[in-house]
Amino acid sequence: MCRKCIEAMCHELGETKGSLHKRLLALRDQQKIDSKLIIWLDGLRTIGNDAAHDLDAQIDKSDALDSLHFVEAVLMYVFSLNTRYDEFQSRRARSK
């Protein structure tokens, strides 16, 4: 499900074509996602691929929990914190 969230994020940000990896790189190139987040997202993409496609893969509880935390952090950053920071900067500029 974490991988599915990443897919949905790409879709929301306008990248709907190609592999998930290529969509993430396109979002980075468009500066919609920072390079550090790409590293996190690629790790999540990889563990999602293992869970979905490798019948022998065992995803332990700590990896699953970390995945949830990373997805939550990325979504918070991409959809909430950037906007909040821009609003903060706008308010400060108006008050000067």
Side-chain angles (χ1 to χ4, degrees):
M1 292 311 296
C2 290
R3 191 182 191 287
K4 190 75 160 177
C5 286
I6 298 167
E7 298 263 358
M9 179 196 71
C10 289
H11 189 269
E12 277 297 309
L13 294 174
E15 284 300 322
T16 59
K17 304 254 190 261
S19 69
L20 179 55
H21 183 69
K22 287 183 180 179
R23 285 182 276 158
L24 291 171
L25 294 178
L27 290 171
R28 182 204 58 202
D29 294 345
Q30 297 164 28
Q31 297 182 341
K32 292 182 179 179
I33 296 178
D34 294 342
S35 293
K36 182 67 171 187
L37 294 182
I38 291 298
I39 294 167
W40 292 7
L41 290 166
D42 200 53
L44 292 170
R45 180 189 63 81
T46 301
I47 200 168
N49 284 349
D50 290 347
H53 302 296
D54 184 351
L55 296 176
D56 296 323
Q58 296 291 319
I59 309 302
D60 66 27
K61 185 177 180 177
S62 61
D63 285 346
L65 190 56
D66 283 342
S67 295
L68 287 171
H69 289 158
F70 287 132
V71 165
E72 180 180 27
V74 168
L75 296 176
M76 177 75 75
Y77 180 84
V78 170
F79 293 112
S80 182
L81 293 178
N82 278 327
T83 301
R84 287 177 66 184
Y85 184 76
D86 291 344
E87 290 168 356
F88 166 75
Q89 289 293 76
S90 230
R91 265 194 329 273
R92 291 188 45 81
R94 286 192 308 267
S95 69
K96 290 182 179 183

